[in-house]
Amino acid sequence: MGHDLERLLRLPPDRGMVVLQRSPLWFPLMVMDSPTPSPPSNFDPSAAPGSMGVDRAHWRSQILTNPMAAEPYAALGELLRQSGQVAGAIEAWCKALALEPQRETWYAGALAAFDGWLKLPSIYETEAALWQARSNYAQGLDRLIGLTRSHPALMQLALQAIALRVPFYLNYQGQDDRALQAQYGAWVCQTLATVFPDLAPLQPRRPRERSSGDRLRIGYFSSHFYHHSVMKTHLGWLRHADRDRLEIYSYYAGNRWDATTDEARRLSDRFAFWETGNDFNPQRYAAFCRAAWQDQLDVAVMLDVGMDSVMYLIGGWRFAPVQCATWGHPVTTGLPTVDYYLSSDRMEPPQAETHYSETLICLPGLGIAYERPPIAPQPQLDRAQLGLADDEVVYLCCQSLYKYLPQADRLWVEIAQAVPRARLVFLASPFPEAAPPFAQRLAAAFAAAGLAFADHCTILPPQSQTQFWQLNQLADVFLDSIDWSGCNSALEAIAAGLPVVTLPGALMRGRHAAAILTELGLTETIAQTPEDYCDLAIGLGCDRAWRQNLRLEIAQRSARVFNQIHGVRALETFYESAVQRRQQECTPCPIAQAGT
């Protein structure tokens, strides 16, 4: 498709029509033959969605008459986008913008068409739907990258597409995403270096000159320096940093500011804040990047690449001779500017290095210093206030709903069938719009087994932090999600004394709870197969004494997973050795470059 566009742009008007007849744009133009009135001269297709269904014959005649006129292509692009024909829509919009790049309002329409290739659903109705969505994404990403690379004038649109959509939901499909992430990451770096040619030379190629007494300058970059799961897991790296060895520089690109932000600021020798707002601002973004480069960091650590688009726009540059990512979002970044991935030796499976484009570094234990949640000894809530009965066996299934894949639905049904008065409690947060399609899918699975969803399942509204902790205290069993395990939620369950059942997955992100239980020395509720998972969940649901015994053991051992700093010390030793290795290397650091 990109080659068709380039050929069309190079041809004179009398030849352009011939190529157009062979392109994806032609078919929709053949649908109607009756003439329609011409649009007003100030017609803006991107501002009037839905208005062009009757105008196909008009745009056909306009393109046939003058293939180098921009407005018919823009109108056609919007028409095709509305009808789901993404490839043709993008080609039409790109043709329009190539002819009239000054029409700024058209970029919104083109961007909406681009987004059609990268958008993924949060909830899948079936496993087949998941695989189809994955295939569509892979094909769309390949086409989108090919199009923007074949026509450099469209790189500005590529930047906007990256700023609009991050492959967040891709990583929740339970598959090894390394190849797709690497493809996306390379595209991000090339796009940044092309659109911001004045920033590209600022990237460090070699370590700075340091005197013998200089501490290492460590820069932590995040879009979540506030009360969030990323800070719960990783703020301990700042809290317990050895200030005789390190200077801490923190770079926050986000919008929220709370007590956690204040703490991070106090823990930092320098704290830079870019209030990102709702729309991407290239000038403020560039100023934020320039400020970070001026600090001449020795090590840059991206805490949460993949959680949102901002961290891809930051991680796509090199800010230090040694650049790392870690598991604030536990998936490889795919960015060629990131050298190392900082993980946990408890969480990684065998041959884990094949899952990462970065060099994998496994820190001892959990690799973090997680602060024990300040949970009150007794909950103030009772079950009745949450719509739960005292005689029910409450299974807490508290992960984000997009972690629950359709192939695991049968497990919840089997547990409900086997345990009298079983109640599976899900949470609608953090994206309440996912609850209706999830409930509909799970209700169908229960109905197929002759069970009523409402008799066995509850989806609670979003809970405050304190309410969530109390919910853990009121529950009987914590059921971990399959393929993407809970980390913060599992640690909070342990702090509340709640028994945890988990099934380790094939990837690090499916092994958090198993790592926590292994660190505690409580491995009896770690399943080996889905059938084993069901048996453990059913056994705990039916055996109150077993549950109580586990609660006592959790209370006795829980200190093993909270405020442990041996991983932090190992991290700092790694920083020193990585900087030393970089100083000894003869070749310069890889950086984001245009045209690579």
Short mmCIF file of all heavy atoms in Angstrom, two decimals, residues 436-484:
data_model
loop_
_atom_site.label_atom_id
_atom_site.label_comp_id
_atom_site.label_asym_id
_atom_site.label_seq_id
_atom_site.Cartn_x
_atom_site.Cartn_y
_atom_site.Cartn_z
N PRO A 436 -18.99 -4.76 31.90
CA PRO A 436 -20.13 -5.38 31.20
C PRO A 436 -19.74 -6.49 30.24
O PRO A 436 -20.33 -7.59 30.30
CB PRO A 436 -20.78 -4.18 30.49
CG PRO A 436 -20.42 -3.00 31.33
CD PRO A 436 -19.03 -3.29 31.80
N PRO A 437 -18.76 -6.30 29.33
CA PRO A 437 -18.42 -7.42 28.44
C PRO A 437 -17.81 -8.60 29.18
O PRO A 437 -18.02 -9.76 28.79
CB PRO A 437 -17.43 -6.81 27.43
CG PRO A 437 -16.91 -5.58 28.08
CD PRO A 437 -18.01 -5.08 28.95
N PHE A 438 -17.06 -8.33 30.25
CA PHE A 438 -16.50 -9.43 31.03
C PHE A 438 -17.62 -10.22 31.70
O PHE A 438 -17.63 -11.46 31.65
CB PHE A 438 -15.54 -8.88 32.09
CG PHE A 438 -15.05 -9.92 33.06
CD1 PHE A 438 -14.07 -10.82 32.70
CD2 PHE A 438 -15.60 -10.01 34.34
CE1 PHE A 438 -13.62 -11.80 33.59
CE2 PHE A 438 -15.16 -10.97 35.24
CZ PHE A 438 -14.18 -11.87 34.86
N ALA A 439 -18.57 -9.53 32.31
CA ALA A 439 -19.68 -10.21 32.98
C ALA A 439 -20.51 -11.00 31.98
O ALA A 439 -20.95 -12.13 32.27
CB ALA A 439 -20.55 -9.18 33.70
N GLN A 440 -20.72 -10.45 30.80
CA GLN A 440 -21.50 -11.15 29.78
C GLN A 440 -20.81 -12.45 29.36
O GLN A 440 -21.45 -13.50 29.23
CB GLN A 440 -21.70 -10.24 28.58
CG GLN A 440 -22.56 -10.83 27.48
CD GLN A 440 -22.77 -9.86 26.33
OE1 GLN A 440 -22.19 -8.78 26.29
NE2 GLN A 440 -23.61 -10.24 25.39
N ARG A 441 -19.50 -12.38 29.16
CA ARG A 441 -18.76 -13.58 28.75
C ARG A 441 -18.77 -14.64 29.85
O ARG A 441 -19.00 -15.83 29.59
CB ARG A 441 -17.31 -13.20 28.42
CG ARG A 441 -16.50 -14.32 27.78
CD ARG A 441 -15.03 -13.96 27.72
NE ARG A 441 -14.37 -14.14 29.01
CZ ARG A 441 -13.27 -13.49 29.39
NH1 ARG A 441 -12.72 -12.60 28.59
NH2 ARG A 441 -12.73 -13.74 30.58
N LEU A 442 -18.51 -14.21 31.09
CA LEU A 442 -18.45 -15.17 32.18
C LEU A 442 -19.84 -15.74 32.48
O LEU A 442 -19.98 -16.93 32.82
CB LEU A 442 -17.86 -14.51 33.43
CG LEU A 442 -17.28 -15.46 34.49
CD1 LEU A 442 -16.24 -16.39 33.88
CD2 LEU A 442 -16.67 -14.66 35.64
N ALA A 443 -20.87 -14.91 32.34
CA ALA A 443 -22.24 -15.40 32.55
C ALA A 443 -22.58 -16.50 31.55
O ALA A 443 -23.25 -17.48 31.89
CB ALA A 443 -23.23 -14.24 32.43
N ALA A 444 -22.10 -16.35 30.31
CA ALA A 444 -22.34 -17.38 29.30
C ALA A 444 -21.64 -18.68 29.68
O ALA A 444 -22.19 -19.78 29.49
CB ALA A 444 -21.87 -16.89 27.94
N ALA A 445 -20.43 -18.58 30.23
CA ALA A 445 -19.71 -19.78 30.66
C ALA A 445 -20.43 -20.48 31.80
O ALA A 445 -20.53 -21.72 31.84
CB ALA A 445 -18.28 -19.41 31.07
N PHE A 446 -20.96 -19.71 32.74
CA PHE A 446 -21.71 -20.30 33.86
C PHE A 446 -23.02 -20.91 33.36
O PHE A 446 -23.41 -22.00 33.79
CB PHE A 446 -21.97 -19.24 34.93
CG PHE A 446 -20.87 -19.12 35.94
CD1 PHE A 446 -19.68 -18.47 35.63
CD2 PHE A 446 -20.99 -19.66 37.20
CE1 PHE A 446 -18.65 -18.36 36.55
CE2 PHE A 446 -19.98 -19.57 38.14
CZ PHE A 446 -18.80 -18.91 37.81
N ALA A 447 -23.68 -20.21 32.45
CA ALA A 447 -24.95 -20.72 31.94
C ALA A 447 -24.75 -22.04 31.20
O ALA A 447 -25.59 -22.95 31.28
CB ALA A 447 -25.59 -19.69 31.02
N ALA A 448 -23.64 -22.17 30.48
CA ALA A 448 -23.36 -23.41 29.76
C ALA A 448 -23.20 -24.59 30.71
O ALA A 448 -23.41 -25.75 30.31
CB ALA A 448 -22.09 -23.25 28.91
N ALA A 449 -22.83 -24.30 31.96
CA ALA A 449 -22.69 -25.35 32.97
C ALA A 449 -23.94 -25.48 33.84
O ALA A 449 -23.93 -26.20 34.84
CB ALA A 449 -21.48 -25.07 33.85
N GLY A 450 -25.00 -24.76 33.47
CA GLY A 450 -26.25 -24.84 34.22
C GLY A 450 -26.25 -24.02 35.50
O GLY A 450 -27.05 -24.27 36.41
N LEU A 451 -25.35 -23.02 35.59
CA LEU A 451 -25.26 -22.18 36.77
C LEU A 451 -25.64 -20.74 36.44
O LEU A 451 -25.44 -20.28 35.30
CB LEU A 451 -23.83 -22.20 37.33
CG LEU A 451 -23.25 -23.55 37.77
CD1 LEU A 451 -21.80 -23.36 38.22
CD2 LEU A 451 -24.08 -24.17 38.87
N ALA A 452 -26.15 -20.05 37.43
CA ALA A 452 -26.48 -18.64 37.26
C ALA A 452 -25.29 -17.80 37.73
O ALA A 452 -24.82 -17.96 38.86
CB ALA A 452 -27.73 -18.28 38.05
N PHE A 453 -24.82 -16.93 36.87
CA PHE A 453 -23.68 -16.07 37.19
C PHE A 453 -23.92 -15.30 38.49
O PHE A 453 -23.04 -15.23 39.36
CB PHE A 453 -23.45 -15.11 36.01
CG PHE A 453 -22.41 -14.05 36.25
CD1 PHE A 453 -21.06 -14.35 36.14
CD2 PHE A 453 -22.78 -12.75 36.57
CE1 PHE A 453 -20.09 -13.37 36.35
CE2 PHE A 453 -21.83 -11.76 36.78
CZ PHE A 453 -20.48 -12.07 36.67
N ALA A 454 -25.10 -14.72 38.64
CA ALA A 454 -25.38 -13.89 39.82
C ALA A 454 -25.37 -14.68 41.12
O ALA A 454 -25.16 -14.11 42.19
CB ALA A 454 -26.73 -13.20 39.64
N ASP A 455 -25.59 -15.99 41.04
CA ASP A 455 -25.58 -16.81 42.25
C ASP A 455 -24.18 -17.08 42.77
O ASP A 455 -24.01 -17.48 43.93
CB ASP A 455 -26.27 -18.16 41.98
CG ASP A 455 -27.77 -18.02 41.77
OD1 ASP A 455 -28.32 -16.95 42.14
OD2 ASP A 455 -28.38 -18.96 41.22
N HIS A 456 -23.18 -16.87 41.93
CA HIS A 456 -21.82 -17.25 42.31
C HIS A 456 -20.79 -16.15 42.12
O HIS A 456 -19.66 -16.29 42.61
CB HIS A 456 -21.38 -18.47 41.49
CG HIS A 456 -22.24 -19.68 41.69
ND1 HIS A 456 -22.11 -20.51 42.78
CD2 HIS A 456 -23.27 -20.18 40.95
CE1 HIS A 456 -23.00 -21.48 42.71
NE2 HIS A 456 -23.72 -21.31 41.60
N CYS A 457 -21.13 -15.07 41.42
CA CYS A 457 -20.15 -14.03 41.10
C CYS A 457 -20.67 -12.65 41.47
O CYS A 457 -21.87 -12.36 41.31
CB CYS A 457 -19.80 -14.05 39.61
SG CYS A 457 -19.07 -15.59 39.04
N THR A 458 -19.77 -11.82 41.94
CA THR A 458 -20.06 -10.42 42.23
C THR A 458 -18.95 -9.57 41.64
O THR A 458 -17.77 -9.90 41.79
CB THR A 458 -20.14 -10.17 43.74
OG1 THR A 458 -21.23 -10.91 44.29
CG2 THR A 458 -20.32 -8.69 44.05
N ILE A 459 -19.33 -8.51 40.95
CA ILE A 459 -18.34 -7.53 40.48
C ILE A 459 -18.56 -6.25 41.28
O ILE A 459 -19.55 -5.54 41.08
CB ILE A 459 -18.47 -7.26 38.96
CG1 ILE A 459 -18.26 -8.55 38.17
CG2 ILE A 459 -17.45 -6.21 38.53
CD1 ILE A 459 -18.37 -8.39 36.67
N LEU A 460 -17.65 -5.99 42.20
CA LEU A 460 -17.76 -4.81 43.04
C LEU A 460 -17.27 -3.57 42.30
O LEU A 460 -16.41 -3.66 41.42
CB LEU A 460 -16.94 -4.99 44.32
CG LEU A 460 -17.43 -6.03 45.32
CD1 LEU A 460 -16.43 -6.15 46.47
CD2 LEU A 460 -18.81 -5.68 45.85
N PRO A 461 -17.78 -2.41 42.66
CA PRO A 461 -17.25 -1.17 42.07
C PRO A 461 -15.84 -0.90 42.58
O PRO A 461 -15.36 -1.57 43.51
CB PRO A 461 -18.24 -0.11 42.57
CG PRO A 461 -18.80 -0.68 43.83
CD PRO A 461 -18.86 -2.16 43.61
N PRO A 462 -15.14 0.06 41.98
CA PRO A 462 -13.79 0.39 42.45
C PRO A 462 -13.78 0.69 43.95
O PRO A 462 -14.69 1.34 44.48
CB PRO A 462 -13.43 1.63 41.62
CG PRO A 462 -14.25 1.50 40.38
CD PRO A 462 -15.54 0.86 40.81
N GLN A 463 -12.74 0.22 44.62
CA GLN A 463 -12.60 0.38 46.07
C GLN A 463 -11.45 1.34 46.37
O GLN A 463 -10.46 1.40 45.64
CB GLN A 463 -12.32 -0.97 46.73
CG GLN A 463 -13.34 -2.04 46.43
CD GLN A 463 -14.67 -1.80 47.09
OE1 GLN A 463 -14.75 -1.72 48.32
NE2 GLN A 463 -15.73 -1.67 46.30
N SER A 464 -11.57 2.06 47.46
CA SER A 464 -10.43 2.85 47.93
C SER A 464 -9.34 1.90 48.41
O SER A 464 -9.57 0.70 48.59
CB SER A 464 -10.85 3.77 49.07
OG SER A 464 -11.13 3.00 50.24
N GLN A 465 -8.13 2.45 48.63
CA GLN A 465 -7.04 1.60 49.11
C GLN A 465 -7.40 0.92 50.42
O GLN A 465 -7.21 -0.29 50.59
CB GLN A 465 -5.77 2.43 49.28
CG GLN A 465 -4.58 1.64 49.80
CD GLN A 465 -4.08 0.61 48.82
OE1 GLN A 465 -3.26 0.89 47.96
NE2 GLN A 465 -4.55 -0.62 48.94
N THR A 466 -7.95 1.67 51.37
CA THR A 466 -8.31 1.09 52.67
C THR A 466 -9.42 0.06 52.52
O THR A 466 -9.38 -1.02 53.15
CB THR A 466 -8.74 2.21 53.64
OG1 THR A 466 -7.67 3.13 53.79
CG2 THR A 466 -9.11 1.63 55.00
N GLN A 467 -10.41 0.34 51.70
CA GLN A 467 -11.49 -0.63 51.48
C GLN A 467 -10.96 -1.91 50.84
O GLN A 467 -11.40 -3.01 51.17
CB GLN A 467 -12.57 -0.01 50.60
CG GLN A 467 -13.39 1.07 51.28
CD GLN A 467 -14.31 1.79 50.31
OE1 GLN A 467 -14.01 1.92 49.12
NE2 GLN A 467 -15.44 2.26 50.81
N PHE A 468 -10.00 -1.75 49.94
CA PHE A 468 -9.43 -2.93 49.29
C PHE A 468 -8.70 -3.81 50.30
O PHE A 468 -8.83 -5.03 50.29
CB PHE A 468 -8.47 -2.50 48.17
CG PHE A 468 -7.79 -3.64 47.49
CD1 PHE A 468 -8.49 -4.47 46.61
CD2 PHE A 468 -6.46 -3.93 47.73
CE1 PHE A 468 -7.87 -5.54 45.98
CE2 PHE A 468 -5.82 -4.99 47.11
CZ PHE A 468 -6.53 -5.80 46.24
N TRP A 469 -7.94 -3.19 51.19
CA TRP A 469 -7.27 -3.98 52.23
C TRP A 469 -8.29 -4.71 53.11
O TRP A 469 -8.10 -5.88 53.46
CB TRP A 469 -6.40 -3.06 53.09
CG TRP A 469 -5.18 -2.55 52.38
CD1 TRP A 469 -4.55 -3.11 51.30
CD2 TRP A 469 -4.44 -1.37 52.70
NE1 TRP A 469 -3.47 -2.36 50.93
CE2 TRP A 469 -3.37 -1.28 51.78
CE3 TRP A 469 -4.56 -0.38 53.67
CZ2 TRP A 469 -2.44 -0.24 51.81
CZ3 TRP A 469 -3.64 0.66 53.71
CH2 TRP A 469 -2.58 0.72 52.78
N GLN A 470 -9.37 -4.03 53.46
CA GLN A 470 -10.39 -4.66 54.30
C GLN A 470 -11.10 -5.79 53.55
O GLN A 470 -11.47 -6.80 54.16
CB GLN A 470 -11.39 -3.60 54.76
CG GLN A 470 -10.77 -2.58 55.71
CD GLN A 470 -11.77 -1.54 56.17
OE1 GLN A 470 -12.78 -1.86 56.80
NE2 GLN A 470 -11.49 -0.27 55.87
N LEU A 471 -11.27 -5.64 52.26
CA LEU A 471 -11.85 -6.72 51.46
C LEU A 471 -10.96 -7.96 51.53
O LEU A 471 -11.46 -9.09 51.63
CB LEU A 471 -12.01 -6.25 50.01
CG LEU A 471 -12.56 -7.26 49.00
CD1 LEU A 471 -13.93 -7.79 49.42
CD2 LEU A 471 -12.63 -6.62 47.61
N ASN A 472 -9.65 -7.77 51.50
CA ASN A 472 -8.73 -8.90 51.67
C ASN A 472 -8.91 -9.56 53.04
O ASN A 472 -8.84 -10.79 53.16
CB ASN A 472 -7.28 -8.42 51.53
CG ASN A 472 -6.80 -8.37 50.10
OD1 ASN A 472 -6.19 -9.30 49.59
ND2 ASN A 472 -7.09 -7.26 49.42
N GLN A 473 -9.14 -8.77 54.06
CA GLN A 473 -9.33 -9.33 55.40
C GLN A 473 -10.64 -10.10 55.51
O GLN A 473 -10.74 -11.05 56.30
CB GLN A 473 -9.30 -8.20 56.43
CG GLN A 473 -7.92 -7.55 56.60
CD GLN A 473 -7.96 -6.35 57.53
OE1 GLN A 473 -8.60 -5.35 57.23
NE2 GLN A 473 -7.27 -6.46 58.65
N LEU A 474 -11.64 -9.71 54.73
CA LEU A 474 -12.95 -10.36 54.80
C LEU A 474 -13.05 -11.59 53.92
O LEU A 474 -13.96 -12.41 54.09
CB LEU A 474 -14.04 -9.36 54.40
CG LEU A 474 -14.23 -8.15 55.33
CD1 LEU A 474 -15.16 -7.14 54.69
CD2 LEU A 474 -14.76 -8.60 56.68
N ALA A 475 -12.14 -11.73 52.95
CA ALA A 475 -12.19 -12.86 52.02
C ALA A 475 -11.61 -14.12 52.66
O ALA A 475 -10.95 -14.08 53.71
CB ALA A 475 -11.43 -12.51 50.75
N ASP A 476 -11.86 -15.26 52.01
CA ASP A 476 -11.35 -16.55 52.48
C ASP A 476 -10.13 -17.02 51.70
O ASP A 476 -9.21 -17.61 52.28
CB ASP A 476 -12.45 -17.61 52.38
CG ASP A 476 -13.61 -17.32 53.32
OD1 ASP A 476 -13.38 -17.25 54.54
OD2 ASP A 476 -14.74 -17.14 52.82
N VAL A 477 -10.12 -16.78 50.39
CA VAL A 477 -9.03 -17.25 49.53
C VAL A 477 -8.78 -16.20 48.45
O VAL A 477 -9.72 -15.63 47.89
CB VAL A 477 -9.38 -18.60 48.85
CG1 VAL A 477 -8.22 -19.08 47.98
CG2 VAL A 477 -9.74 -19.66 49.89
N PHE A 478 -7.51 -15.97 48.15
CA PHE A 478 -7.10 -15.11 47.05
C PHE A 478 -6.81 -16.00 45.85
O PHE A 478 -5.93 -16.87 45.91
CB PHE A 478 -5.85 -14.32 47.45
CG PHE A 478 -5.24 -13.44 46.38
CD1 PHE A 478 -5.43 -12.07 46.40
CD2 PHE A 478 -4.43 -13.99 45.38
CE1 PHE A 478 -4.84 -11.25 45.44
CE2 PHE A 478 -3.85 -13.18 44.41
CZ PHE A 478 -4.05 -11.81 44.45
N LEU A 479 -7.55 -15.82 44.76
CA LEU A 479 -7.32 -16.58 43.53
C LEU A 479 -6.56 -15.69 42.55
O LEU A 479 -7.10 -14.69 42.05
CB LEU A 479 -8.64 -17.04 42.91
CG LEU A 479 -9.42 -18.11 43.67
CD1 LEU A 479 -10.67 -18.49 42.88
CD2 LEU A 479 -8.56 -19.34 43.95
N ASP A 480 -5.34 -16.05 42.26
CA ASP A 480 -4.52 -15.27 41.33
C ASP A 480 -5.01 -15.46 39.91
O ASP A 480 -5.55 -16.52 39.55
CB ASP A 480 -3.07 -15.73 41.46
CG ASP A 480 -2.08 -14.76 40.83
OD1 ASP A 480 -2.43 -13.58 40.68
OD2 ASP A 480 -0.96 -15.19 40.52
N SER A 481 -4.83 -14.45 39.08
CA SER A 481 -5.18 -14.55 37.66
C SER A 481 -4.13 -15.39 36.93
O SER A 481 -2.98 -15.49 37.36
CB SER A 481 -5.30 -13.16 37.04
OG SER A 481 -4.19 -12.36 37.39
N ILE A 482 -4.55 -15.97 35.82
CA ILE A 482 -3.69 -16.87 35.04
C ILE A 482 -2.97 -16.08 33.95
O ILE A 482 -3.57 -15.23 33.29
CB ILE A 482 -4.52 -18.00 34.39
CG1 ILE A 482 -5.44 -18.66 35.43
CG2 ILE A 482 -3.62 -19.02 33.73
CD1 ILE A 482 -4.73 -19.34 36.57
N ASP A 483 -1.70 -16.35 33.75
CA ASP A 483 -0.84 -15.76 32.71
C ASP A 483 -0.35 -14.36 33.04
O ASP A 483 0.73 -13.97 32.60
CB ASP A 483 -1.51 -15.76 31.33
CG ASP A 483 -1.61 -17.15 30.74
OD1 ASP A 483 -0.68 -17.95 30.96
OD2 ASP A 483 -2.61 -17.46 30.07
N TRP A 484 -1.13 -13.55 33.76
CA TRP A 484 -0.60 -12.28 34.29
C TRP A 484 -0.95 -12.25 35.76
O TRP A 484 -2.07 -11.95 36.16
CB TRP A 484 -1.18 -11.06 33.56
CG TRP A 484 -0.43 -9.80 33.91
CD1 TRP A 484 -0.21 -9.30 35.16
CD2 TRP A 484 0.20 -8.88 33.01
NE1 TRP A 484 0.51 -8.13 35.10
CE2 TRP A 484 0.78 -7.86 33.78
CE3 TRP A 484 0.33 -8.83 31.62
CZ2 TRP A 484 1.48 -6.78 33.22
CZ3 TRP A 484 1.02 -7.76 31.07
CH2 TRP A 484 1.58 -6.75 31.86
#
